[in-house]
Amino acid sequence: MQSIHLGGIDYAILFTYFAFVIGIGWMLKRHMKGSADFFLSGRSIPAWVTGLAFLSANLGAQEVIGMAASGAKYGIMTSHFYWVGAIPAMVFLAIFMMPFYYGSRARSVPEYLKMRFDEKTRGFNAISFAVMTVFSSGISMYAMARLLEILLGWNFHASIAISAVIVLVYIFLGGLTSAIYNEVLQFFMIVFGFAPLVFLALKDIGGWSALKEKLIPVATSQGYAAGTWTDSWSHLGSTTANPMGVEWFGMVMGLGFVLSFGYWCTDFLVVQRAMAANSMSAARRTPLIAAIPKMLFPALVILPGMIAIALHYASGNHFLPVSADGTPDYNMTIPTLLAKYLPTGLLGIGFTALMASFMSGMAGNVTAFNTVWTYDIYQSYIAPNKSDNHYLWMGRMATVFGIIISIGCAYVASKFNNIMDMLQLVFGFVNAPLFATFLLGMFWKRATGHGAFWGLLGGTAGAAIFHGLAIPQGAMPGIKGGWIAQQFHFHNEMGQNFYMAVVAWTTCFALTILISLATRRNKSDAELKGLVYSLTPKIKSGDEPWYKQPATLGMIVLIVTVILNLIFW
């Protein structure tokens, strides 16, 4: 692989970006009058800002590095993570779920669970979410430091310290508002940094038609049909017909329904951005505004991976670095393309965009952590009935120790190669059943607190048991599965995770219904007003122009998504 050599102008761009990031936090510090300003931005931010922040909070290392790697490994089928695994769920969140989150005046997703169900359900979600966020932030830190060490020879420990200090300063000073405005800046950095890269790489390879031709040997050499890397749906007839090892039911139900709705509709990391909007209408439009660039992001993050694997095969397997097992190191796709195509100046923008993606992921997790820690754990169980200034102070302290714990998690990640796989499993265990809880809670008034809590635990246990009985091809029993018995065999981990999510969701859904029917309601209809669909007055948006009406915007977004799926069928 070509190493990256940053020139003086590239470093100037990088350090200017760091200065802007910290400057935004410094400028917003004087607006942090109370805890609502620090944690919720005083619910004062316009829809276009929260929309871009909603998208950017998800644009961490996993998105940029991971999706490019998947584009190389799986081809255009990776677009399902956008057109099937994101857009429909974002539309559903906007139209059906944001009215409850925003209208209930809940300060967090766990607090909504307390209002709808009971304290133990809130506590379970708050603790599991807090643990996951610091682990995610730590893994972003580790991935960034490791990349800087490999590409530029920077010291691993210094890279972790610098990234931690920058994120700490701007969140400590400006809270969620600082994170949101920095996420908007990061969004534009990522677009302007990667757009020239895609343009130059695609032009070099001869355009889309030439790329399709060059991807044919990539597919046929692995025993797949010629168009497997450029068709998104045509090869989902069986698990052996595509490199993902997934057929259409697993894709639609596992990714398109359970995992995507479980993430986009219940994960406080992204929902927090919409809850900071300045009105109910703006909160509902936030995911829809985010959905528009989200639809097009495969061109920025998946297409580079497809180009890289085509160049790798055309060069006799010499373009991408090779892992110890002889396969291409797909995670080095973006860095390899940056080194090959971007000259000084543009390289600085591209490299800064890469740094922005890592910092965006870290900051998003830290702001979600400090809110859930302060409101749902500290205020609820450790120090209730304190002054607002006390909770503002605790929010800032939570930012500090959240970053410190993240640093610890980064070093844990450096010791275990499989910790990222473990984290993805934990997300599947927690988020998949959580969506079943929310679905029943918002649309079935008979659901009880006992049903929700034990359904969540049962769904998580069901996922763990299925994982213990299922194993992907070529894996040893353990973290990859099969640690109870090897009853179910999958082509790879992705298919296994999709079906595990289906099992978790179905178990939670069924248990919640059965236990709710067997237990007494703990909330009256009056208490559930504004929390359950049938008991909440419907929002009228007919007086707004069409481009501000969530239902109209949602329909347009879904139609365009269907068209994209058909074009690349």
Side-chain angles (χ1 to χ4, degrees):
M1 190 198 89
Q2 294 174 264
S3 59
I4 290 181
H5 299 287
L6 297 182
I9 190 170
D10 300 318
Y11 278 110
I13 291 168
L14 183 62
F15 293 132
T16 301
Y17 166 72
F18 288 157
F20 261 96
V21 162
I22 293 173
I24 288 173
W26 183 262
M27 288 172 59
L28 291 170
K29 181 179 182 291
R30 59 192 175 90
H31 296 290
M32 300 298 108
K33 307 292 187 187
S35 64
D37 296 320
F38 188 80
F39 295 118
L40 300 171
S41 300
R43 293 196 167 191
S44 61
I45 299 183
W48 75 269
V49 174
T50 55
L52 292 181
F54 184 98
L55 175 62
S56 189
N58 179 247
L59 275 178
Q62 182 186 356
E63 177 90 2
V64 175
I65 298 292
M67 287 301 169
S70 295
K73 192 174 182 180
Y74 306 123
I76 197 68
M77 281 185 66
T78 309
S79 66
H80 290 310
F81 284 94
Y82 293 81
W83 302 336
V84 175
I87 304 301
M90 292 164 78
V91 172
F92 185 83
L93 170 66
I95 294 174
F96 293 106
M97 297 185 76
M98 277 316 303
F100 301 118
Y101 286 139
Y102 197 88
S104 67
R105 309 301 291 181
R107 298 170 298 182
S108 67
V109 168
E111 187 166 80
Y112 172 84
L113 286 173
K114 178 197 174 184
M115 296 165 72
R116 172 58 186 90
F117 293 115
D118 56 18
E119 187 61 60
K120 64 180 179 293
T121 308
R122 187 257 283 271
F124 179 81
N125 179 239
I127 292 168
S128 60
F129 179 79
V131 171
M132 286 192 298
T133 51
V134 291
F135 262 94
S136 294
S137 179
I139 285 174
S140 285
M141 244 182 233
Y142 164 72
M144 183 177 77
R146 183 78 182 115
L147 204 62
L148 292 174
E149 184 180 38
I150 292 170
L151 298 179
L152 299 174
W154 289 10
N155 181 273
F156 178 84
H157 310 292
S159 298
I160 282 185
I162 291 167
S163 63
V165 167
I166 291 171
V167 172
L168 171 63
V169 168
Y170 77 73
I171 294 176
F172 187 91
L173 293 173
L176 178 63
T177 308
S178 178
I180 285 176
Y181 280 103
N182 271 307
E183 282 159 3
V184 174
L185 172 63
Q186 286 153 355
F187 168 81
F188 286 111
M189 284 301 307
I190 290 166
V191 171
F192 291 134
F194 291 155
L197 176 66
V198 175
F199 174 78
L200 292 171
L202 191 59
K203 183 181 177 184
D204 180 52
I205 209 165
W208 174 249
S209 297
L211 176 61
K212 289 174 71 173
E213 289 297 318
K214 286 182 170 66
L215 286 170
I216 290 174
V218 177
T220 54
S221 66
Q222 298 179 50
Y224 300 113
T228 304
W229 256 251
T230 51
D231 299 329
S232 62
W233 286 97
S234 301
H235 308 284
L236 284 175
S238 74
T239 58
T240 57
N242 62 78
M244 275 193 179
V246 183
E247 33 61 80
W248 68 269
F249 179 81
M251 181 66 72
V252 173
M253 186 67 184
L255 174 63
F257 181 61
V258 178
L259 285 174
S260 69
F261 281 71
Y263 175 75
W264 291 103
C265 297
T266 69
D267 196 305
F268 185 54
L269 169 64
V270 288
V271 172
Q272 185 181 30
R273 274 71 194 149
M275 291 171 73
N278 58 14
S279 68
M280 172 69 83
S281 174
R284 297 181 75 196
R285 278 183 279 125
T286 292
L288 299 173
I289 291 169
I292 295 168
K294 184 76 173 176
M295 285 189 290
L296 306 176
F297 253 74
L300 279 184
V301 295
I302 296 173
L303 186 55
M306 296 168 66
I307 295 170
I309 199 64
L311 291 170
H312 185 71
Y313 272 73
S315 67
N317 299 332
H318 296 302
F319 183 69
L320 290 172
V322 177
S323 302
D325 61 1
T327 60
D329 185 353
Y330 297 111
N331 288 325
M332 297 305 290
T333 296
I334 290 291
T336 304
L337 290 170
L338 285 173
K340 178 174 174 62
Y341 287 109
L342 295 190
T344 298
L346 274 181
L347 181 59
I349 296 173
F351 191 76
T352 303
L354 198 57
M355 294 301 97
S357 74
F358 285 109
M359 291 176 61
S360 175
M362 289 162 52
N365 279 295
V366 170
T367 53
F369 170 80
N370 65 26
T371 304
V372 168
W373 164 264
T374 304
Y375 283 150
D376 295 298
I377 298 174
Y378 182 78
Q379 185 179 26
S380 300
Y381 304 116
I382 300 171
N385 305 317
K386 299 288 185 179
S387 68
D388 187 68
N389 281 338
H390 178 83
Y391 294 123
L392 173 61
W393 171 84
M394 175 47 63
R396 289 200 161 107
M397 292 304 101
T399 303
V400 174
F401 65 72
I403 290 280
I404 292 171
I405 297 170
S406 296
I407 292 172
C409 292
Y411 282 100
V412 170
S414 71
K415 302 297 182 188
F416 297 98
N417 291 332
N418 58 15
I419 196 159
M420 294 189 82
D421 292 331
M422 186 189 295
L423 187 70
Q424 289 307 304
L425 284 175
V426 172
F427 270 106
F429 285 359
V430 175
N431 277 10
L434 185 61
F435 177 59
T437 304
F438 270 92
L439 202 61
L440 288 169
M442 287 184 169
F443 296 98
W444 187 44
K445 67 179 184 180
R446 183 65 182 80
T448 66
H450 291 314
F453 179 74
W454 293 109
L456 270 176
L457 284 181
T460 303
I465 292 168
F466 180 83
H467 181 257
L469 296 172
I471 192 165
Q473 183 178 311
M476 296 294 291
I479 185 66
K480 302 285 188 183
W483 42 272
I484 298 174
Q486 298 175 34
Q487 295 292 318
F488 308 106
H489 296 268
F490 288 88
H491 188 60
N492 62 23
E493 292 106 329
M494 195 162 293
Q496 178 191 19
N497 286 340
F498 288 176
Y499 274 93
M500 186 186 73
V502 173
V503 168
W505 184 88
T506 306
T507 304
C508 179
F509 193 80
L511 277 178
T512 302
I513 291 174
L514 292 173
I515 295 171
S516 292
L517 292 174
T519 53
R520 295 177 61 182
R521 285 179 64 184
N522 59 321
K523 300 276 186 178
S524 65
D525 283 3
E527 290 174 299
L528 294 179
K529 187 177 180 181
L531 302 172
V532 176
Y533 188 77
S534 62
L535 300 175
T536 303
K538 304 303 175 283
I539 298 171
K540 300 276 193 288
S541 57
D543 296 336
E544 295 181 310
W546 67 267
Y547 55 86
K548 287 189 175 182
Q549 295 178 18
T552 305
L553 279 177
M555 186 62 65
I556 292 169
V557 165
L558 289 177
I559 289 170
V560 176
T561 304
V562 170
I563 292 170
L564 287 169
N565 275 288
L566 292 173
I567 289 171
F568 295 97
W569 187 275

